[in-house]
Amino acid sequence: MIHPKTDGSHAYHLDTTILNSLASATYTADAIRRHGAIASLELSHSGMYAGTYMTDKSKQKSMHQWGPDDTVRQDGVKVKALTEDMIKEIVEAYGQTAVLAKRAGFEMLMIHGGHGWLVNQFLSPYFNHRQDVYGGSLENRCRLAIEGLKSVREAVGEGFPIEFRMSGSELFEGGYDLSEGVKIAQMIEPYVAVIGDASKVSTIINAVYEEYHVALDI
């Protein structure tokens, strides 16, 4: 979780104001590395499906979530549209969290852009009906994803592998299909080392990591 102000779906997030947050992440990355694996951390925002009421279920119907548009979820929870200023905060939060992850010893990051979470909600014509620079055309719908990836790249520097997790097709009426999924991947590709579902690309993560480090001699 990269922006707890608008996403309370996960209890854990990297935050220097939280006691032992960075220390526990460092311990985790070190443990992974000691067992011969590459420590990678997923950065996510759940958007309209965040569970900010989870700490107090009595508030489930009185709180709203944040997403591309004003709407009401099927379970009756209100969703409010993120303002452009809030989107800017979220984009900056990707970079800020990436810095902390690298500082903790993680050697790769995955940006979650699939499965109906916030980035996917912006990519999707089903969820995204905005009339500003973040909605409408495919280029506009990809803007949040690309801005977030640029923020992460600026934070971690060159030679640090970034993966983007996305849904190739939303597989329901009104969502984007495989042909548009390919176009999204083509727009995302310049900013990442790997595109896919983590469960399907795990066998090539090591190869990607080695290629980056050998090529750049770091």
Side-chain angles (χ1 to χ4, degrees):
M1 181 175 67
I2 55 100
H3 194 246
K5 179 179 176 181
T6 56
D7 180 9
S9 58
H10 296 77
Y12 181 78
H13 66 281
L14 276 170
D15 188 336
T16 54
T17 66
I18 298 176
L19 183 65
N20 293 327
S21 172
L22 188 61
S24 61
T26 302
Y27 180 86
T28 301
D30 181 65
I32 294 170
R33 188 165 49 251
R34 282 189 284 108
H35 285 81
I38 295 165
S40 178
L41 187 68
E42 178 181 287
L43 307 185
S44 68
H45 190 302
S46 301
M48 64 183 289
Y49 291 118
T52 53
Y53 56 82
M54 291 177 70
T55 54
D56 185 351
K57 292 187 181 298
S58 67
K59 296 181 179 180
Q60 182 170 356
K61 301 299 182 182
S62 64
M63 297 179 69
H64 59 251
Q65 314 300 297
W66 297 96
D69 298 337
D70 289 328
T71 187
V72 178
R73 295 192 330 202
Q74 290 182 330
D75 60 357
V77 175
K78 294 180 180 179
V79 179
K80 293 195 69 175
L82 289 163
T83 66
E84 290 192 35
D85 284 342
M86 295 173 78
I87 293 172
K88 182 180 179 181
E89 275 189 33
I90 290 170
V91 168
E92 291 174 350
Y94 273 106
Q96 292 162 358
T97 308
V99 165
L100 293 176
K102 184 177 181 179
R103 179 178 168 188
F106 287 90
E107 299 174 90
M108 184 172 180
L109 292 172
M110 179 171 72
I111 312 307
H112 199 327
H115 307 164
W117 289 158
L118 182 67
V119 173
N120 177 251
Q121 291 162 28
F122 272 77
L123 294 173
S124 173
Y126 180 86
F127 294 107
N128 186 348
H129 304 103
R130 297 177 71 100
Q131 301 297 314
D132 60 8
V133 296
Y134 292 96
S137 68
L138 181 60
E139 179 182 3
N140 282 355
R141 286 186 278 121
C142 288
R143 192 177 304 278
L144 173 61
I146 291 173
E147 287 182 350
L149 289 166
K150 286 182 175 179
S151 180
V152 170
R153 173 57 70 205
E154 182 177 353
V156 300
E158 297 299 325
F160 190 97
I162 300 172
E163 176 188 352
F164 185 76
R165 184 177 188 175
M166 65 172 286
S167 303
S169 170
E170 292 191 274
L171 300 175
F172 58 79
E173 187 175 351
Y176 66 77
D177 59 14
L178 185 58
S179 62
E180 190 164 58
V182 170
K183 293 177 182 177
I184 292 171
Q186 290 171 336
M187 295 183 71
I188 296 296
E189 185 178 16
Y191 307 99
V192 298
V194 179
I195 296 178
D197 187 310
S199 62
K200 297 178 182 178
V201 301
S202 58
T203 57
I204 64 171
I205 294 299
N206 279 308
V208 170
Y209 178 82
E210 290 299 327
E211 178 182 347
Y212 261 60
H213 279 241
V214 171
L216 294 168
D217 193 25
I218 59 176

